[in-house]
Amino acid sequence: MGKLLVLMLVMMFLAFESLEALDYGDALNKSILFFEGQRSGKLPTNQRVKWRADSALSDGSLANVNLIGGYYDAGDNVKFVWPMSFTTTLLSWAAIEYQNEISSVNQLGYLRSTIKWGTDFILRAHASPTMLYTQVGDGNSDHSCWERPEDMDTPRTLYSISSSSPGSEAAGEAAAALAAASLVFKSVDSTYSSTLLSHAKSLFEFADKYRGSYQASCPFYCSYSSYQDELLWAAAWLYKATGEKSYINYVISNKDWSQAVNEFSWDNKFAGAQALLASEFYNGTNDLAKFKTDVESFVCALMPGSSSQQIKPTPGGLLFIRDSSNLQYVTTATTVLFHYSKTLTKARVGSIQCGSTQFTVSQIRNFAKSQVDYILGNNPMKMSYMVGFGTKYPTQPHHRGSSLPSIHSKPEKIDCNGGYSYYNSDTPNPNVHTGAIVGGPNSSDQYSDKKSDYSHAEPTTYINAAFIGPVAALISSSG
Ligand SMILES: *[C@@H]1O[C@H](CO)[C@@H](O)[C@H](O)[C@H]1NC(C)=O
Ligand SMILES: *[C@@H]1O[C@H](CO)[C@@H](O)[C@H](O)[C@H]1NC(C)=O
Ligand SMILES: *[C@@H]1O[C@H](CO)[C@@H](O)[C@H](O)[C@H]1NC(C)=O
């Protein structure tokens, strides 16, 4: 009897401990803070990530334009506008969808600043109605050096698209980002919001009128899914932002572009567009039924036990799309799962049918929650994949600024090759890049925590951006 009581108490303590361990508010704080470590340009006085300093203050000078600011993409020092725009769209989506949850932990102001650091740059990059700068920095030279952004001396080559050399993926995603952000700023700064919206409309027109696939950032970011997904995604955001019928008519007349997919990523935005348009369908636009069918195919492809399941999770229960920065697909998929369960709840639809299997809304939501919990520590490695969250987390992210001593502690320049002694040292990074979510474990739920293992150890802006909505969705339910 006594033994049983002790056992029960121990179990209760463990259960309580694991609840305590997953503080979603703390995870949200940290996932937003991460973006300060990715900032390019002149840092503001309220910068909280202190190991960073000003960098790339001449970006754009090769063409006499101001392209200072924006975000470094991942562990490198290149600014890729196409994924940066996707990041900005995802951040804005989270701010719109989970405004109350985010504001309840006092993070809304920080999230808005994070979005604005992206949108200010995209506005600058949109130099004229049919001209968008799409990349700053030569990817090959940057990737062959291991340098702090503050020391960077590789060519800051400029890439752009125009009516004569179009790139509808990049222009379409930039339109989506600015349209989504216009909703975020609508009640806070209506002038800024209108500026965002007018650039969004102009970028969409550019993307649609001068159609062509964006391949200039390849091999780093190649478009595999072409641009129809970005055009639908941008039109869906513009409809949400303006309520103008022309955008919904565009989507309806091009609905055959929409495909059933099982990945949502910087390349392929169909699932995101389908999720947005499915909620418009439930709101009475019957012509959008195809998007409801397609988003349900996406959900059904992911749900364990679904008769139409396409994605096999790891033994530990993590969605596994591919062994290269896999967590990006987990966070984006989870974004859609939470969004669609919210849509179903609002529409008072209790379940969906996946072939011969039925899933209730709470089953979908619980599966989405299991992915967030896995990332934060409920996994076979018993570690968090977010730097600085919990007690055990990655110590060697593949990240230049984090792995080299801060410019404040070692002001002498560390050149292109000089950085490699740090890269090759099997020691924890000197700067803890708090909030950074790395590429994640392999298909056997294992993680080796080595800087050189970039497909698992590299953080990226879009992994974090897609995590913010899901972790915010759990804040109200965690009390
Ligand atoms: C998040 O940070 C804000 C201030 O930055 C603080 O007020 C809040 O308590 C934090 N929330 C959690 C859950 O840690
Ligand atoms: C749904 O429609 C109502 C009334 O037309 C509108 O007020 C609301 O904003 C719409 N909701 C969405 C998610 O579009
Ligand atoms: C996963 O990682 C572990 C540890 O690094 C390694 O031993 C194992 O072979 C890897 N498995 C797969 C399938 O890559």
Side-chain angles (χ1 to χ4, degrees):
M1 204 58 189
K3 266 188 192 159
L4 192 63
L5 188 67
V6 169
L7 189 67
M8 276 172 64
L9 283 172
V10 167
M11 282 171 67
M12 276 169 66
F13 175 74
L14 288 176
F16 180 70
E17 257 227 326
S18 73
L19 278 179
E20 274 298 278
L22 297 184
D23 179 341
Y24 300 121
D26 185 33
L28 177 72
N29 277 2
K30 288 173 175 162
S31 54
I32 294 172
L33 187 61
F34 159 78
F35 286 90
E36 292 194 13
Q38 297 297 119
R39 280 174 171 170
S40 179
K42 175 121 192 80
L43 301 183
T45 49
N46 62 4
Q47 168 85 8
R48 294 171 296 170
V49 172
K50 301 291 187 197
W51 46 270
R52 286 292 324 284
D54 297 350
S55 63
L57 297 178
S58 317
D59 276 2
S61 61
L62 289 174
N64 279 316
V65 286
N66 173 0
L67 293 174
I68 301 168
Y71 289 111
Y72 298 122
D73 185 55
D76 59 349
N77 300 323
V78 182
K79 300 194 291 200
F80 291 106
V81 177
W82 181 29
M84 196 200 297
S85 300
F86 181 52
T87 289
T88 308
T89 314
L90 291 168
L91 291 168
S92 301
W93 196 4
I96 296 162
E97 213 57 53
Y98 303 103
Q99 182 176 331
N100 296 338
E101 291 84 348
I102 295 168
S103 134
S104 76
V105 287
N106 304 315
Q107 291 299 303
L108 196 55
Y110 290 114
L111 181 55
R112 285 184 185 134
S113 309
T114 307
I115 294 166
K116 193 162 184 295
W117 198 267
T119 50
D120 282 350
F121 180 78
I122 298 168
L123 290 176
R124 248 171 251 144
H126 187 210
S128 84
T130 57
M131 163 93 175
L132 176 72
Y133 286 96
T134 50
Q135 186 178 326
V136 184
D138 175 68
N140 289 313
S141 340
D142 182 277
H143 290 189
S144 62
C145 290
W146 198 258
E147 288 185 296
R148 301 178 287 208
E150 295 84 1
D151 279 340
M152 177 173 50
D153 49 8
T154 48
R156 300 301 283 170
T157 313
L158 302 176
Y159 298 73
S160 59
I161 53 173
S162 64
S163 51
S164 57
S165 84
S168 301
E169 290 90 339
E173 188 61 57
L178 300 186
S182 78
L183 284 165
V184 175
F185 291 100
K186 203 167 180 172
S187 63
V188 208
D189 182 346
S190 60
T191 313
Y192 189 62
S193 172
S194 317
T195 304
L196 293 170
L197 195 52
S198 71
H199 279 268
K201 290 177 170 180
S202 159
L203 280 159
F204 178 70
E205 208 180 300
F206 173 34
D208 186 48
K209 195 164 162 200
Y210 301 96
R211 290 188 192 173
S213 186
Y214 180 65
Q215 299 297 348
S217 292
C218 201
F220 310 102
Y221 290 97
C222 314
S223 175
Y224 302 99
S225 71
S226 198
Y227 50 73
Q228 286 83 358
D229 52 326
E230 276 87 4
L231 292 179
L232 287 177
W233 170 239
W237 275 112
L238 278 158
Y239 179 66
K240 218 170 141 70
T242 63
E244 286 170 21
K245 280 273 175 277
S246 62
Y247 294 113
I248 211 72
N249 291 339
Y250 180 94
V251 160
I252 293 166
S253 49
N254 294 307
K255 63 173 186 262
D256 290 341
W257 287 346
S258 177
Q259 295 164 16
V261 291
N262 45 40
E263 153 188 338
F264 177 33
S265 65
W266 55 261
D267 179 34
N268 194 323
K269 279 84 184 208
F270 279 126
Q274 291 157 1
L276 289 180
L277 295 166
S279 50
E280 300 297 341
F281 163 80
Y282 281 115
N283 212 15
T285 315
N286 293 329
D287 290 340
L288 298 173
K290 179 168 198 309
F291 298 101
K292 166 199 171 297
T293 308
D294 286 350
V295 76
E296 288 190 0
S297 297
F298 179 79
V299 173
C300 292
L302 308 179
M303 288 300 291
S306 158
S307 73
S308 46
Q309 186 180 1
Q310 304 280 327
I311 302 300
K312 191 173 169 275
T314 64
L318 180 69
L319 282 170
F320 202 81
I321 313 282
R322 64 178 69 92
D323 198 24
S324 176
S325 193
N326 180 60
L327 287 184
Q328 68 176 302
Y329 308 107
V330 178
T331 55
T332 51
T334 307
T335 296
V336 171
L337 292 172
F338 273 116
H339 186 268
Y340 198 55
S341 35
K342 196 171 162 185
T343 300
L344 292 174
T345 304
K346 265 198 207 157
R348 296 167 201 266
V349 176
S351 63
I352 66 166
Q353 197 66 36
C354 296
S356 57
T357 338
Q358 194 179 43
F359 292 106
T360 63
V361 174
S362 60
Q363 284 176 307
I364 298 170
R365 206 174 185 280
N366 283 338
F367 178 60
K369 178 179 183 293
S370 74
Q371 302 303 295
V372 172
D373 291 354
Y374 184 111
I375 292 173
L376 294 178
N378 193 355
N379 58 56
M381 293 287 289
K382 300 267 169 273
M383 69 179 284
S384 142
Y385 288 99
M386 177 188 283
V387 175
F389 184 86
T391 49
K392 189 181 168 202
Y393 48 79
T395 66
Q396 292 194 29
H398 179 93
H399 187 279
R400 286 165 178 72
S402 159
S403 68
L404 291 160
S406 164
I407 192 117
H408 301 303
S409 62
K410 189 172 167 45
E412 309 81 48
K413 184 179 168 102
I414 303 169
D415 68 12
C416 173
N417 291 320
Y420 282 101
S421 58
Y422 298 93
Y423 178 76
N424 293 323
S425 76
D426 189 10
T427 52
N429 290 3
N431 307 307
V432 179
H433 198 345
T434 303
I437 302 173
V438 296
N442 68 14
S443 60
S444 343
D445 299 294
Q446 300 298 304
Y447 185 73
S448 59
D449 198 16
K450 296 272 180 267
K451 280 190 270 288
S452 53
D453 185 9
Y454 58 86
S455 53
H456 305 110
E458 187 168 15
T460 71
T461 44
Y462 38 87
I463 302 180
N464 268 67
F467 187 70
I468 289 176
V471 81
L474 292 170
I475 284 175
S476 51
S477 55
S478 71

